[in-house]
């Protein structure tokens, strides 16, 4: 699916047909009538976001939240037609840079981005968002306190970013003064504010997906006030500043958010968002999908924060216009091996052990857990269908996709690692506990004991599997995270690079298992510098094959997102990368 952005809609025509959403769950503005202003949108769910700082957001929930109060140069439009969500559109940028309008150089290495006027911070007094604020946002990607999970995208693309980030990594991660001093005292060669309204980017080599990188939430503008705080620290989280339609007016960590209207925002400066409700109330701490569903159906809540529709409820909701199945081509969940773990004599660092465990999994059981074959498909590759570089393959086939415990035991014996005991942390929200229990049973059939550890504090990613020291200490061995690509369309690097590039392994890395293979790194580099997108896709496919040969992960499911809204929600439009409706587009019918 790699292509130049100006051709993306035509190129995705076939994909869009296959990915049009099923069910109801939201209609166009005309069908819902004119938007109504006012009211409080009530959102209920389980866990807080791992990172609130836009520089280090890492989950679909954080993506959806950041969109409300933090704006990027480019972005995407929410829609219930998948194809309409794919093209890159202007956000704070006045227009999308192209060769035709002179904002992309003939050699494809220089991009000029011109900002629209009238975009304001909700400071007192309100002031304009400038090109310098975006430069600050890019620099913050490499801060040592809470570095961005997406920093590798920019290190491999923008001139001077690698050296800037290397130096930033040596700064005291607990000293906000030292962090801001380095950030403001060093420049990135390839990121320059020509004036308050003009940014110029210099690339190492042409990158056909660079416009997509400018649309990611990591690159949101950052006001100068953020220099006073430790990135993503507790104090930072109480002092977020908004240039979007809503502002975080109250935040109780792990418990709730209240977002109110940002008085500095103006509709005529924002082509992607709207603003209708007065407040957005997000209440956390409810781990039961059944309870969340019940609250929405009874009218006590409007949307689920991080819970899909419970599988038991799906059959009776099939024809309910409030219910929808939305396509978000993903690898969710997948089983990742901590290759750095010292446990079991370092067994998970042995490729043959990991290859044996590939045969353990009963994907058919997992499909039942999440709602059946209309909701999920078995996945055997790193890259899911509907993403650039996908090619069907199954290197570890089992009868009916139900696992082959006998072969698993045999291969473990040949590898000299029988009787493994694996530490298995799992998320407590949604169906993750059931998935973990199913995988535990699969492993037991192979003679492997998996000790389940519940993550009840919402720290599964930030404090457990994304912390290299805990990986090296053997505090976990296997885990079942999920991965939704950061963008769709020309998105070859949005899966392979963040999950498997060992060169950027470190704090907040999404290469959770510490996988590192120089051959895969070379394929990543070859794809990023390929002369055309077709050639790049070939390299992504080769990288996928090599990663599966190494059994770095066990792909499990390509899973659609089930979503339900209360009877009073109108204007529901889906954001695939956030796995939810765009809160800024919703309005509420009268009770």
């Amino acid at each position: 699916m790699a292509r130049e952005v100006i051709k993306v809609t035509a190129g995705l025509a076939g994909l869009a047909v296959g990915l049009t959403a099923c069910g109801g769950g939201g209609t166009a503005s005309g069908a819902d009538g004119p938007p109504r202003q006012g009211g409080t949108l009530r959102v209920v769910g389980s866990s807080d976001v791992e990172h609130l700082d836009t520089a280090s957001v890492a989950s679909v929930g954080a993506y959806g939240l950041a969109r409300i109060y933090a704006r990027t140069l480019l972005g995407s439009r929410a829609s219930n037609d998948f194809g309409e969500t794919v093209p890159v559109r202007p956000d704070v940028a006045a227009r999308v840079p192209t060769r035709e309008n002179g904002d992309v150089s003939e050699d494809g290495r220089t991009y000029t981005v011109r900002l629209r006027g009238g975009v304001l911070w909700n400071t007192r007094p309100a002031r304009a968002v400038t090109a310098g604020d975006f430069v600050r946002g890019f620099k913050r990607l490499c801060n040592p306190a809470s570095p961005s999970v997406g920093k590798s995208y920019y290190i491999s693309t923008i001139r001077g970013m690698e050296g800037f980030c290397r130096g930033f990594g040596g700064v005291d991660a607990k000293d906000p003064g030292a962090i801001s001093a380095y950030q403001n005292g060093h420049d990135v060669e390839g990121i320059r504010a020509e004036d308050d309204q003009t940014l110029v980017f210099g690339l190492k080599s042409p990158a056909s997906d660079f416009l997509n990188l400018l649309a990611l939430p990591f690159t949101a503008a950052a006001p100068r006030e953020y220099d006073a705080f430790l990135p993503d620290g507790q104090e930072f989280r109480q002092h977020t500043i908004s240039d979007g339609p809503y502002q975080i007016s109250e935040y109780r960590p792990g418990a709730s958010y209240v977002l109110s209207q940002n008085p500095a925002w103006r509709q005529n400066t924002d082509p992607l968002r709207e603003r209708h409700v007065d407040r957005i109330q997000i209440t956390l701490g409810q781990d039961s999908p059944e309870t969340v569903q019940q609250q929405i159906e009874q009218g006590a809540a409007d949307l689920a924060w991080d819970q899909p529709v419970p599988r038991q409820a799906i059959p009776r909701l099939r024809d309910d216009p409030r219910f929808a199945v939305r396509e978000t081509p993903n690898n969710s969940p997948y089983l990742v091996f901590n290759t750095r773990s010292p446990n079991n004599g370092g067994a998970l660092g042995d490729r043959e052990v990991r290859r044996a465990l590939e045969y353990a999994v009963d994907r058919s059981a997992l499909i039942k857990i999440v709602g059946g074959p209309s909701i999920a498909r078995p996945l055997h590759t790193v890259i899911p269908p509907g993403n650039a570089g996908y090619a069907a393959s199954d290197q570890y086939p089992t009868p009916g996709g139900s696992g082959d415990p006998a072969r698993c035991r045999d291969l473990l014996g040949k590898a000299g690692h029988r009787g493994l005991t694996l530490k298995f942390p799992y998320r407590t929200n949604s169906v993750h506990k059931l998935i973990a229990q199913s995988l535990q049973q699969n492993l037991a059939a192979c003679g492997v004991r998996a000790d389940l550890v519940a993550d009840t504090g919402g720290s599964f990613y930030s404090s457990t599997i994304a912390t290299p020291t805990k990986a090296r200490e053997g505090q976990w061995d296997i885990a079942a995270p999920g991965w939704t690509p950061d963008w769709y369309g020309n998105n070859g690097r949005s899966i392979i690079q963040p999950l498997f590039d060992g060169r950027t392994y470190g704090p907040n890395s999404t290469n959770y298992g510490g996988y590192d293979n120089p051959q895969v790194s070379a394929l990543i580099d070859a794809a990023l510098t390929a002369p055309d997108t077709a050639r790049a896709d070939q390299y992504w496919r080769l990288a996928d094959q090599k990663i599966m040969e190494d059994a770095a992960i066990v792909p499990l499911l390509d899973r659609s997102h089930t979503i339900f809204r209360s009877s009073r929600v109108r204007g529901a439009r889906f954001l695939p990368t956030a796995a939810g409706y765009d809160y800024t587009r919703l309005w509420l019918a009268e009770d």
Side-chain angles (χ1 to χ4, degrees):
M1 273 186 281
R3 61 191 57 78
E4 289 188 42
V5 103
I6 56 174
K7 299 178 181 176
V8 77
T9 302
L12 277 168
L15 174 63
V17 170
L19 295 181
T20 300
C22 306
T27 56
S29 301
D32 275 347
R36 174 179 174 270
Q37 304 300 117
T40 298
L41 179 71
R42 303 157 304 175
V43 185
V44 178
S46 174
S47 302
D48 203 345
V49 297
E50 291 82 6
H51 302 285
L52 185 57
D53 191 332
T54 52
S56 49
V57 292
S59 63
V60 291
Y63 277 30
L65 182 60
R67 182 183 177 90
I68 301 173
Y69 69 91
R71 295 179 61 183
T72 47
L73 292 167
L74 304 173
S76 59
R77 176 172 287 275
S79 175
N80 295 332
D81 179 339
F82 182 90
E84 290 181 5
T85 70
V86 174
V88 172
R89 305 173 190 270
D91 188 349
V92 179
R95 63 189 187 187
V96 174
T98 65
R99 283 189 175 88
E100 288 75 12
N101 64 25
D103 290 344
V104 179
S105 63
E106 286 300 316
D107 66 0
R109 294 172 185 261
T110 303
Y111 283 68
T112 300
V113 182
R114 307 173 196 283
L115 275 57
R116 69 177 71 244
V119 181
L120 303 175
W121 293 116
N122 66 333
T123 50
R124 296 184 181 179
R127 68 170 190 274
V129 174
T130 67
D133 294 328
F134 279 100
V135 173
R136 182 180 295 104
F138 276 90
K139 287 182 175 181
R140 294 180 80 252
L141 294 174
C142 294
N143 78 79
S146 185
S148 173
V149 301
K151 67 179 182 178
S152 62
Y153 294 146
Y154 308 93
I155 288 172
S156 59
T157 304
I158 297 174
R159 285 203 316 268
M161 194 76 175
E162 184 174 8
F164 175 86
C165 292
R166 188 185 307 113
F168 213 166
V171 174
D172 185 350
K174 297 181 179 180
D175 184 346
I179 290 173
S180 63
Y182 179 89
Q183 173 185 291
N184 297 325
H186 295 76
D187 293 325
V188 178
E189 179 189 354
I191 307 175
R192 175 170 55 89
E194 191 169 273
D195 54 45
D196 282 353
Q197 296 297 112
T198 311
L199 277 161
V200 179
F201 294 93
L203 310 189
K204 293 180 178 180
S205 59
S208 63
D209 60 0
F210 185 63
L211 295 177
N212 297 98
L213 302 188
L214 298 184
L216 297 181
F218 325 123
T219 65
R224 59 178 179 261
E225 286 83 356
Y226 283 2
D227 289 357
F229 308 115
L230 196 67
D232 204 38
Q234 293 182 1
E235 194 175 4
F236 171 92
R237 289 183 172 217
Q238 297 297 335
H239 292 87
T240 53
I241 292 176
S242 173
D243 59 354
Y246 292 90
Q247 59 193 9
I248 299 176
S249 52
E250 180 185 307
Y251 171 49
R252 296 169 57 217
S256 64
Y257 291 87
V258 175
L259 294 104
S260 58
Q261 293 192 356
N262 172 11
W265 179 84
R266 298 290 181 270
Q267 178 67 78
N268 64 359
T269 71
D270 196 334
L272 299 179
R273 301 164 189 80
E274 298 173 10
R275 186 174 69 192
H276 304 298
V277 302
D278 289 334
R279 301 196 330 156
I280 302 170
Q281 170 77 49
I282 301 171
T283 303
L284 307 172
Q286 181 49 260
D287 288 343
S288 168
E290 291 76 18
T291 300
V292 171
Q293 181 68 23
Q294 184 179 48
Q295 290 182 17
I296 299 172
E297 291 191 41
Q298 292 176 348
D302 296 307
L303 290 172
W305 165 246
D306 56 356
Q307 310 273 29
V309 175
R311 57 173 179 156
Q312 299 90 338
I314 292 173
R316 66 178 175 81
L317 295 174
R318 286 286 183 192
D319 298 322
D320 192 317
R322 298 170 295 175
F323 170 76
V325 180
R326 303 292 181 200
E327 295 298 334
T328 56
N330 58 46
N331 195 335
S332 186
Y334 64 91
L335 189 69
V336 62
F337 298 112
N338 176 7
T339 65
R340 310 289 176 110
S341 175
N343 302 331
N344 304 287
L348 293 183
D350 183 342
R351 183 178 75 162
E352 297 310 310
V353 170
R354 301 193 303 269
R355 295 181 75 167
L357 296 177
E358 292 276 351
Y359 290 99
V361 175
D362 181 357
R363 291 176 177 81
S364 64
L366 299 179
I367 289 172
K368 292 176 184 176
I369 288 173
V370 302
S374 65
I375 306 300
R377 283 72 44 198
L379 187 63
H380 303 281
T381 55
V382 170
I383 301 173
N387 292 275
Y390 169 74
S393 177
D394 184 359
Q395 295 191 40
Y396 307 96
T398 64
S402 300
D404 190 341
R407 187 165 190 185
C408 175
R409 287 194 302 270
D410 179 58
L411 292 175
L412 283 175
K414 290 178 179 177
H417 284 286
R418 293 186 186 274
L420 299 176
T421 297
L422 305 177
K423 297 177 183 178
F424 188 175
Y426 67 91
R427 292 170 282 174
T428 55
N429 63 318
S430 185
V431 293
H432 297 302
K433 181 179 181 179
L434 295 176
I435 288 171
Q437 290 173 334
S438 181
L439 294 171
Q440 181 187 45
Q441 293 171 5
N442 295 162
L443 291 167
C446 293
V448 175
R449 174 178 170 177
D451 291 336
L452 299 183
V453 181
D455 165 36
T456 56
S459 60
F460 173 77
Y461 287 104
S462 61
S463 299
T464 305
I465 66 172
T467 305
T469 54
K470 292 190 176 182
R472 289 191 291 268
E473 291 169 359
Q475 294 193 29
W476 67 278
D477 294 301
I478 57 174
W483 186 256
T484 296
D486 286 320
W487 71 92
Y488 291 101
N490 181 8
N491 72 342
R493 77 158 99 186
S494 70
I495 299 169
I496 300 292
Q497 188 174 27
L499 294 185
F500 303 104
D501 190 342
R503 296 167 294 184
T504 56
Y505 180 63
N508 284 0
S509 170
T510 48
N511 178 8
Y512 305 117
Y515 172 76
D516 188 11
N517 185 323
Q519 290 177 284
V520 171
S521 298
L523 288 167
I524 291 171
D525 292 343
L528 295 178
T529 57
D532 55 69
T533 52
R535 192 81 55 87
D537 284 357
Q538 292 178 1
Y539 289 125
W540 295 128
R541 282 192 285 272
L542 289 171
D544 189 326
Q545 292 170 15
K546 184 59 184 173
I547 292 162
M548 289 307 304
E549 286 176 14
D550 288 344
I553 67 168
V554 183
L556 298 174
L557 302 177
D558 171 23
R559 183 178 168 196
S560 300
H561 188 75
T562 54
I563 192 167
F564 187 85
R565 59 183 173 89
S566 76
S567 297
R568 67 180 195 147
V569 171
R570 300 289 187 272
R573 293 170 183 80
F574 196 69
L575 282 165
T577 54
Y581 290 128
D582 182 349
Y583 299 134
T584 74
R585 307 286 297 279
L586 301 174
W587 69 91
L588 304 172
E590 295 188 63
D591 293 325

